[in-house]
Amino acid sequence: MSIVVTGATGNLGRHVVEQLLEKVPAEQITAVVRDEARAADLAARGVRLAVADYNAPETFDGLFAAGDKVLLVSGNEFDKGRVGQHKVVIEAAKAAGVALLAYTSAPGSLTAALADDHKGTEAAILESGVPYSLLRNGWYNENYTEQLAPVLQTNAVTQATGEGRVASASRADYAAAAVAVLTGEGHENTTYELSGDTAWSFAEYAAELSRQTGREITYNAVSVDDFVGILTTHAGLPGPFAAILGGVEASIAKGELAGTSGDLSRLTGRPTTPIADSIALALKG
């Protein structure tokens, strides 16, 4: 029996593998990667590597074994049909008879287009009959703290979220929840709404940045259209992807990412990481 993590060299997947290494022997962990070189450090620590690509179904043939627990980390290639990519893994998991397929999904409350692929993947998992755990990850602190350069350049947090609040947590928190499910018992056919313990507003975020930097950083509220324009003109994002992010802004304004179910801290057994802690870490880096 192996614990298999797809996307193992990505931002979330690597956190999961690192935390698994603290809980189980390395030889029980399989890291699925596209580029073996990026996982050389994991292999050196005894983790088994499997080279596979969501876009090449044959690479998943025989990758899983009966009784494996698998974490399907959602793909990030928005233009390549993510539901189809995920079905490759789901079908391989079904064929192998895995014990559990956990999937990093999106909050059930999210109506933005970003959630469509996750809903489609969840439907495919349910249809497959594979024992599942849906990890509906809320927003990551790092979605914002890793984008501080333009904020510090302009002394402004520019968002189209109105007075909406975000109950975010750190990537490490969400990884810890996945590890709890993969190493624990009784998680078959479960759905977890994962989010931070506390929801914060962007005015509060700007105030915390001001406190930690000693500079006056304001919250600059703009319309969704203006926000999308900023992403395409100044950040150079493709129009369709910018529009997806604009849809998320509208969802935040409607309160769709403000839910604090407590599932995340219950699964991990500890409080979630406050946004202030992630800001401090980012400013140090």
Side-chain angles (χ1 to χ4, degrees):
M1 190 278 285
S2 199
I3 295 175
V4 187
V5 180
T6 73
T9 54
N11 287 328
L12 180 66
R14 185 168 277 278
H15 271 294
V16 172
V17 175
E18 291 284 352
Q19 292 187 39
L20 280 171
L21 283 165
E22 297 171 10
K23 300 250 184 188
V24 299
E27 59 268 20
Q28 289 182 19
I29 305 167
T30 299
V32 181
V33 300
R34 285 190 292 192
D35 180 358
E36 214 166 349
R38 288 185 61 196
D41 60 314
L42 298 177
R45 293 163 71 184
V47 174
R48 176 177 169 249
L49 301 186
V51 179
D53 189 326
Y54 296 155
N55 299 305
E58 68 280 2
T59 60
F60 279 90
D61 290 346
L63 196 155
F64 305 133
D68 282 353
K69 290 184 177 181
V70 178
L71 176 66
L72 169 53
V73 177
S74 57
N76 59 6
E77 296 176 311
F78 294 90
D79 57 339
K80 291 192 176 176
R82 290 198 298 168
V83 177
Q85 289 180 327
H86 297 158
K87 280 182 177 176
V88 168
V89 181
I90 296 164
E91 285 161 14
K94 180 180 180 178
V98 304
L100 184 73
L101 176 62
Y103 171 63
T104 60
S105 192
S109 56
L110 188 64
T111 62
L114 182 73
D116 293 348
D117 288 348
H118 293 295
K119 289 172 182 169
T121 301
E122 286 190 8
I125 290 170
L126 295 178
E127 193 180 330
S128 75
V130 173
Y132 65 86
S133 184
L134 303 179
L135 307 176
R136 290 180 171 170
N137 287 357
W139 244 221
Y140 302 158
N141 290 347
E142 291 87 350
N143 288 355
Y144 303 104
T145 60
E146 288 179 354
Q147 310 297 327
L148 286 181
V151 173
L152 298 177
Q153 231 171 15
T154 59
N155 288 323
V157 173
T158 301
Q159 304 285 155
T161 51
E163 295 177 9
R165 303 179 79 80
V166 178
S168 65
S170 71
R171 278 199 195 100
D173 293 337
Y174 292 108
V179 168
V181 166
L182 293 167
T183 59
E185 298 298 327
H187 296 289
E188 295 81 5
N189 306 326
T190 54
T191 300
Y192 296 108
E193 294 287 348
L194 304 176
S195 61
D197 295 334
T198 306
W200 48 268
S201 71
F202 284 90
E204 290 167 348
Y205 179 64
E208 182 59 28
L209 278 168
S210 299
R211 188 184 71 77
Q212 292 199 31
T213 61
R215 294 154 65 169
E216 189 178 341
I217 295 174
T218 59
Y219 170 42
N220 177 30
V222 298
S223 70
V224 170
D225 286 347
D226 286 347
F227 184 78
V228 171
I230 290 166
L231 293 180
T232 52
T233 307
H234 298 291
L237 294 186
F241 185 52
I244 286 173
L245 296 181
V248 172
E249 296 288 290
S251 283
I252 291 172
K254 289 187 278 189
E256 293 175 9
L257 290 178
T260 52
S261 71
D263 280 359
L264 182 51
S265 50
R266 276 192 291 273
L267 271 179
T268 61
R270 57 175 169 75
T272 61
T273 305
I275 189 69
D277 289 12
S278 293
I279 289 172
L281 192 63
L283 290 173
K284 267 188 210 165

